Amino acid sequence: QVQLVESGGGLVQAGGSLRLSCVASGRTISAFGMAWFRQVPGKEREFVADINYSGMNTTYQDSVKGRFTISRGNDKKVVYLEMNSLKAEDTAVYYCAARAGPLRGSAYFYAYWGQGTQVTVSS
């Protein structure tokens, strides 16, 4: 069993920045990767960014590419999402997820999920 806890969400003006953190605890997870997803009311959860275990490979949704950066802590059990140049359409609940295999990008591939942190961007 693995527990993921997100933090860092809040209210920010358009053009501003936020840094989200996710800490994994409990039993050791497989050495593959972690990701961020987001969800707004009435829409399915969408992929935002993924990072592999080593932190050397990252994948981003087109709408956040160049604005968001995903990274890992030295112990590989913490993942960050640096969000810059925030837009109103970035408003969502952001979820941290961990995968137990090499496949990524779809919510089906992630076995563990946090409870989410709200990000609200005002315009």
Side-chain angles (χ1 to χ4, degrees):
Q1 187 66 36
V2 175
Q3 185 176 54
L4 304 177
V5 180
E6 305 97 333
S7 63
L11 176 64
V12 64
Q13 293 183 332
S17 300
L18 282 175
R19 182 182 174 90
L20 306 183
S21 299
C22 174
V23 179
S25 62
R27 295 181 179 179
T28 302
I29 62 174
S30 58
F32 282 99
M34 297 178 69
W36 290 95
F37 285 75
R38 65 187 182 186
Q39 188 169 29
V40 299
K43 294 185 63 178
E44 294 185 355
R45 192 167 298 183
E46 68 175 357
F47 171 76
V48 176
D50 180 278
I51 187 167
N52 73 339
Y53 181 80
S54 69
M56 297 178 64
N57 299 109
T58 58
T59 306
Y60 296 93
Q61 182 193 60
D62 287 343
S63 66
V64 307
K65 192 173 183 179
R67 299 189 297 119
F68 292 10
T69 302
I70 188 170
S71 61
R72 305 193 71 137
N74 290 333
D75 65 358
K76 310 303 181 184
K77 297 176 68 175
V78 182
V79 64
Y80 305 99
L81 185 68
E82 178 72 28
M83 304 184 293
N84 299 311
S85 301
L86 283 163
K87 306 173 181 179
E89 52 262 42
D90 294 318
T91 296
V93 176
Y94 283 71
Y95 296 90
C96 177
R99 53 182 165 89
L103 301 178
R104 59 189 179 274
S106 170
Y108 292 110
F109 303 144
Y110 298 83
Y112 308 101
W113 296 85
Q115 292 187 321
T117 184
Q118 176 71 47
V119 172
T120 302
V121 184
S122 63
S123 60

